[in-house]
Amino acid sequence: MASVVGDIAIKVGADIGPLVTGLGRAQGAVDKFGKSATISANGGMKALAIAGGAIAASAITAGLGLVALTKNAMDNIDVMSKSATTLGIHTASLQAMAQVANEAGVETSGFTKALTKMQDNIAGLQQGTGAQVLAFQSLGLAMADLQGKGADEQFATIAEHIAGIADPAERTAAALNIFGKAGADLIPMMDGYRASLEETTKWQAEFGIGVSDMGGPDLV
């Protein structure tokens, strides 16, 4: 799994560049002050003023970066929460699923669209629509295998069956039939999906960064 910092950046979807840059400038100002202060005792106050001004400016930049980080994080949490509500699953569940998808190179927005398409096709299966019935039959699945399950468990069940298809062309076709255009992109995350999801969920719980359905960290 990616590093802690990398994973947190992925989860909140925030650009921490401004914050890092600001902090770097502040460090540079401190270093500059240290050098200036040793040049001469007579120039000490001047060096202090210069360094102080630089540190203040850098602190403002860092502060703005932190504000941007927080706003981006909250915006992404809001989007995640709304998507989870639409799909009928817990926000923390979607967060963990999206993390597994991200590590396979799939963006969260594309993954949620694929889940929405999956549910649309499951609705077609329930209604007995020919194309959907055939698509799920090719995976050895019927409505009885998916009914009563949330989108998260439905995805896990379907992913296992698609991952079990030996022929790459057939596997890709099956993924496209169920998940739409993004189906092929999801294939890398399907092999060993449940294990990856379990590891990610455990990681979120250990660090207390799972997003609850109220929109804040899930500190269970």
Side-chain angles (χ1 to χ4, degrees):
M1 178 169 293
S3 66
V4 172
V5 174
D7 280 336
I8 292 175
I10 290 173
K11 290 176 187 300
V12 300
D15 180 6
I16 63 173
L19 177 59
V20 173
T21 299
L23 292 175
R25 288 175 179 171
Q27 180 62 54
V30 172
D31 293 341
K32 182 178 180 180
F33 167 68
K35 293 177 181 178
S36 298
T38 59
I39 292 176
S40 68
N42 294 332
M45 292 304 296
K46 182 178 180 181
L48 177 61
I50 293 173
I55 292 173
S58 297
I60 291 173
T61 302
L64 292 175
L66 182 58
V67 170
L69 171 64
T70 303
K71 184 179 184 302
N72 287 340
M74 294 306 296
D75 287 346
N76 280 280
I77 288 173
D78 183 57
V79 171
M80 183 77 70
S81 179
K82 289 177 179 177
S83 296
T85 299
T86 299
L87 293 166
I89 59 178
H90 292 297
T91 306
S93 296
L94 180 57
Q95 182 190 19
M97 296 171 72
Q99 175 64 18
V100 176
N102 291 163
E103 291 179 352
V106 181
E107 293 185 359
T108 300
S109 59
F111 180 62
T112 55
K113 287 179 181 178
L115 290 179
T116 300
K117 182 63 175 178
M118 175 197 75
Q119 288 192 319
D120 183 54
N121 281 321
I122 291 175
L125 172 65
Q126 187 172 27
Q127 295 167 5
T129 304
Q132 278 78 14
V133 170
L134 290 175
F136 284 99
Q137 279 184 347
S138 68
L139 296 176
L141 293 171
M143 192 62 215
D145 300 308
L146 303 170
Q147 196 166 20
K149 296 179 178 179
D152 46 356
E153 183 59 29
Q154 288 173 338
F155 177 82
T157 299
I158 295 169
E160 283 182 336
H161 283 72
I162 292 179
I165 300 175
D167 183 82
E170 292 182 10
R171 188 165 58 246
T172 299
L176 292 173
N177 286 336
I178 304 300
F179 299 106
K181 295 179 180 180
D185 296 330
L186 301 184
I187 292 177
M189 68 179 287
M190 294 181 182
D191 188 20
Y193 170 73
R194 286 187 187 275
S196 296
L197 183 66
E198 182 178 352
E199 180 183 359
T200 299
T201 301
K202 181 180 179 181
W203 185 87
Q204 289 178 349
E206 288 178 350
F207 286 93
I209 60 172
V211 180
S212 71
D213 291 327
M214 296 301 293
D218 187 357
L219 303 179
V220 177

